[in-house]
Amino acid sequence: MIHNYIKVAFRNLAKNSTYSAINIFGLSIGMTTAILIGLWVWDELSYNKYHRHYDRIARVMQHQTYNGVTNTTIATPLPMRMALQSDHGSDFTYIASSSWTRDYILAFGNKKISRKGNCVEPDFPLMMSLKMLRGTAASFANPTSALLSESVAKALFGDVDPLNKIIRIDNSKHFKVVGVYEDL
């Protein structure tokens, strides 16, 4: 019986090949579009969910008006952190500022690598619930300390323990590695 249905289907496809091609093409475009939209929605709904309290993390943005044109940017003035702490400190567990993400040259001994990174405040690792593999996030309070991701530590130090090693950043600043966190 199924053999008969398949034979009839192929005969109809061959007899009406133009309409069949249009229908099959339309069906494939529709299904592809539905799958891509579904994947996009899934990606948007799962963004940053690896943070422990992802639903309580917010980014402060700023409206800037120049020549009558208002733009919203992620850049905020440095006093914003103090204003949030003093005016709304009871609403937040952690408040941390971050620099722009940019390329840095990291050096240890004769080895140099280029990686993207940020300069952040001490509360940042706690706020983002970074999983520390070596060291602690509490030791990040010193302004000359650095946390490295697992992949950066592996690329820069190999199998050597990076804790308490001094690295150069952009061949000018020296930082002490106080922790290694799991790659995000």
Side-chain angles (χ1 to χ4, degrees):
M1 185 92 154
I2 292 175
H3 184 321
N4 189 32
Y5 286 149
I6 293 173
K7 189 186 289 186
V8 169
F10 276 116
R11 285 180 183 165
N12 282 333
L13 287 173
K15 185 177 177 184
N16 302 314
S17 61
T18 305
Y19 294 116
S20 298
I22 291 171
N23 284 333
I24 292 170
F25 180 73
L27 179 64
S28 65
I29 293 295
M31 288 177 67
T32 303
T33 303
I35 289 170
L36 289 175
I37 289 172
L39 288 172
W40 175 67
V41 168
W42 175 79
D43 181 59
E44 290 295 318
L45 292 175
S46 66
Y47 183 73
N48 279 349
K49 285 197 175 178
Y50 48 80
H51 298 300
R52 190 174 315 130
H53 301 289
Y54 67 89
D55 58 333
R56 302 263 312 141
I57 296 175
R59 172 185 261 175
V60 177
M61 300 181 82
Q62 170 179 261
H63 297 296
Q64 295 176 338
T65 303
Y66 293 110
N67 297 328
V69 178
T70 302
N71 292 315
T72 303
T73 64
I74 59 173
T76 56
L78 287 176
M80 177 71 74
R81 185 202 189 288
M82 280 80 75
L84 283 172
Q85 186 69 41
S86 64
D87 296 346
H88 305 284
S90 62
D91 297 332
F92 300 104
T93 305
Y94 303 112
I95 298 175
S97 297
S98 172
S99 69
W100 292 99
T101 301
R102 70 177 190 88
D103 286 320
Y104 291 95
I105 296 175
L106 307 172
F108 178 72
N110 293 330
K111 184 141 188 179
K112 292 183 180 181
I113 61 172
S114 177
R115 294 291 191 270
K116 291 189 179 298
N118 295 61
C119 296
V120 297
E121 291 184 330
D123 284 344
F124 191 83
L126 301 171
M127 182 173 68
M128 293 302 196
S129 61
L130 297 179
K131 294 177 184 166
M132 300 302 294
L133 302 175
R134 295 186 186 137
T136 62
S139 58
F140 185 59
N142 188 332
T144 60
S145 60
L147 294 178
L148 301 178
S149 69
E150 183 179 17
S151 60
V152 171
K154 183 82 171 164
L156 193 58
F157 295 100
D159 293 330
V160 177
D161 184 16
L163 286 184
N164 299 317
K165 302 281 193 284
I166 304 296
I167 61 172
R168 287 186 321 278
I169 297 181
D170 291 339
N171 212 18
S172 62
K173 302 170 200 103
H174 291 68
F175 289 87
K176 180 180 180 181
V177 178
V178 295
V180 176
Y181 62 90
E182 186 178 278
D183 287 336
L184 301 177

